Amino acid sequence: MVRHHKRRKSLTDLERVRFASEAAEMHSRLLPYLIALSPLSDDYKAVTRLSLAI
């Protein structure tokens, strides 16, 4: 028999803080790619879309 865990409806306060911190870190890691790429390139546009989604 497979047991299923009950999912929570929201993040804990600690998870919210950690999530915001990790999203900010990911955004900052994407910046060097944006600086190095031409704004007209497809890769630049893809990185920009990812950054905005984060």
Side-chain angles (χ1 to χ4, degrees), residues 4 6 8-11 16 19 21 25 27-29 32 35-37 40-41 44-45 48 50 54:
H4 296 279
K6 184 176 180 182
R8 293 179 278 126
K9 294 182 181 185
S10 64
L11 298 172
R16 283 188 185 102
F19 183 84
S21 173
E25 179 183 345
H27 177 72
S28 69
R29 287 181 179 215
I35 293 168
L37 294 167
L40 301 176
S41 73
Y44 180 93
K45 292 172 187 173
T48 299
L50 178 59
I54 293 172

Side-chain angles (χ1 to χ4, degrees), residues 13-44:
D13 289 339
L14 181 59
E15 288 171 329
R16 283 188 185 102
V17 169
R18 187 172 145 204
F19 183 84
S21 173
E22 290 173 354
E25 179 183 345
M26 184 60 190
H27 177 72
S28 69
R29 287 181 179 215
L30 292 175
L31 287 177
Y33 297 104
L34 294 174
I35 293 168
L37 294 167
S38 167
L40 301 176
S41 73
D42 290 338
D43 287 341
Y44 180 93

